Amino acid sequence: MVNDMNFFVKYRTNEGTDAARSTIIHDMANEEDILKDDLKYYFMNPCDKYRARRQIPWKLGVQILKIIMITTQLVLFGLNNQLVVSYKEENAMAFKSLFLKDYTCFLYLISQLNNLSVGPVSYGEDDSKLVPLVICKEHYKRGTVEPSDESYDIDAQIETVCLSLDPTSLDSWKTNNESFFVLDFYRLIDVKISFQLKGINLQTVRSRELPDCYTFFVTITFDNHSHSGKIKIFFDIDAISSACKNWKISGTARKNSHYLLVFDGFVILVCLTSAVLCTRSIVLAMKLLKRFSTFFHVNYKRKVCKADQKHFFNGWYILVIISDIMAIVGSILKMEIQSKSMTSYDVCSIFLGTSTLMVWVGVIRYLGYFQKYNVLILTMKAAFPKVLRFCCCAGMIYLGYTFCGWIVLGPYHEKFEGLSRVAECLFSLVNGDDMFTTFAQFQEKSMLVWLFSRVYLYSFISLFIYMVLSLFIALITDAYETIKNYQKTGFPMTDLQKFLKDHRDFSCSEDIGEMEMDCLSFSCCRRPPKDDDILLIS
């Protein structure tokens, strides 16, 4: 295809003759027809493309295959992950009940764990030796406190003292470390007990997989930071899975992870194919935009407006590419987990879950080809700019209520103790959730604060439910009504649509002032700002 600028230079010397002029017109017509055909083909849906040029819609086929495979992969991983999560949670509950219910017998329970636990759990070993149990205490370096005389003498420097103890030598612990177990509670900050347990998850046998071995890192903290007379007890457990060293299993159960690894590899291949096809489509669209811009500028002395440029930039392709990348990363992590090389279930779940979400959201793109199904997409596009600006304004008021509620009501209500909890509580109130409980739980220790809480809650609920939320819904409803009217009377036409329909009137639509100056100076089509609705191809 001959470049338009070189084309006119080539025929400039002969433009006075009738033959040259007719040749130029004929070539221009051919150039315009070819460009129109390419543009029309680009904006066709896959079915129309197949009818027009008998080209198989490979991208559509790959996307359908990818949806099926990624969803299947997610379900398989979710079922396996559910077993792992339930195993960890149930073991944590069992350990809490075992060690914290009567922690005066804690040391005895540790030594007799094999006999007391009904699960396959025992104390941790390293090279056939029990892993030492570590007890650490933090306390102020020195201090004397006399509440009756309202006097104290505290050295705020914190000291940490730790002991590594053999779980089997219970009798010698206190005898050999008597001074360590003498606690001055007015100096004590906390005591931490750390140890390791080993367990085997036998429930995976029924899913035809080899059981995993787990190492539980347990930490029990006796927190005395507040020195209020109440010592808080925290139980933390972290589980790490690994392949068992010595195993033997018979019967119908057998290791089938290699089939899943092959399936995950095929998912990666399909996602790579999808990403390559979408990237190719983006590159071809940019080339087509460049051809159209050059032709439009040479023949009509105009630039392609931003609204038309956006039609060539397909955001769905970007969404698909991002979902493909996340699916590939998630599949690699899943393969690492299945081969026992890593145990990052949470990270893998985030990648696989997000990629599946994006894949299913991308299905809306194909529904958008049908006029009766694309109302949601068009309404979201039209309402998004207004909603975004509206949320920015409403967010300022929301933040003000959040900070105010935290500083004033935090000491009197558990839902207002932290900034994140205040934001969550207010969001629940906006949606009409748990209103009466929030009112009723305020303590009446301070009448002033109680009255303030009523004014605070009534004003927030009234403002956000009756005004802010109603306006928010009205913006979306207005955009929906606009789209319905456009579907009946026709969408506003851009320069691109006029060009494809052989309209020669590329007049600028502008209001006054700056809009008119921009249109005249840049020769670009503009839309009137009165409706603030984006132009859409129906």
Side-chain angles (χ1 to χ4, degrees), residues 15 55 73 76 106 119 139 167 207 257 325 365 420 471 512:
E15 62 183 359
Q55 181 175 343
Q73 181 190 47
L76 294 176
F106 172 76
H139 55 79
S207 60
S257 60
I325 294 175
R365 170 180 176 246
S420 61
L471 290 175
I512 58 175

Side-chain angles (χ1 to χ4, degrees), residues 1 4 24-42 44 53 288 291-292 295 299-300 499-502 504:
M1 188 175 296
D4 292 296
I24 293 174
I25 295 174
H26 181 267
D27 290 343
M28 285 179 58
N30 290 338
E31 175 79 11
E32 183 174 349
D33 292 338
I34 294 174
L35 181 59
K36 283 183 179 179
D37 289 341
D38 292 341
L39 289 172
K40 290 179 180 179
Y41 182 78
Y42 173 77
M44 287 180 182
R53 299 184 181 180
L288 186 60
R291 285 175 53 198
F292 177 65
F295 181 86
N299 291 275
Y300 300 103
F499 175 76
L500 293 177
K501 294 183 178 181
D502 293 327
R504 299 298 177 177

Side-chain angles (χ1 to χ4, degrees), residues 392-500:
C392 289
C393 297
M396 301 299 104
I397 306 175
Y398 191 86
L399 285 176
Y401 271 93
T402 301
F403 285 111
C404 179
W406 171 58
I407 195 64
V408 179
L409 306 179
Y412 302 93
H413 201 294
E414 61 179 4
K415 293 183 180 180
F416 293 83
E417 291 179 353
L419 281 174
S420 61
R421 299 191 69 177
V422 177
E424 294 164 1
C425 175
L426 295 181
F427 187 78
S428 299
L429 291 176
V430 170
N431 292 276
D433 183 30
D434 211 18
M435 284 191 181
F436 178 75
T437 306
T438 305
F439 278 95
Q441 287 181 351
F442 270 109
Q443 304 174 9
E444 298 186 22
K445 293 182 179 180
S446 173
M447 182 57 66
L448 179 62
V449 175
W450 185 85
L451 291 175
F452 178 86
S453 68
R454 265 47 192 172
V455 175
Y456 174 87
L457 291 176
Y458 279 120
S459 62
F460 176 81
I461 293 173
S462 301
L463 177 63
F464 273 83
I465 290 183
Y466 303 134
M467 184 178 294
V468 175
L469 193 59
S470 298
L471 290 175
F472 183 86
I473 297 174
L475 291 176
I476 300 177
T477 304
D478 180 67
Y480 174 71
E481 294 296 332
T482 302
I483 296 302
K484 286 182 62 178
N485 293 332
Y486 282 162
Q487 288 183 333
K488 294 179 180 178
T489 61
F491 287 84
M493 296 182 63
T494 63
D495 285 350
L496 174 62
Q497 294 170 301
K498 292 179 181 179
F499 175 76
L500 293 177

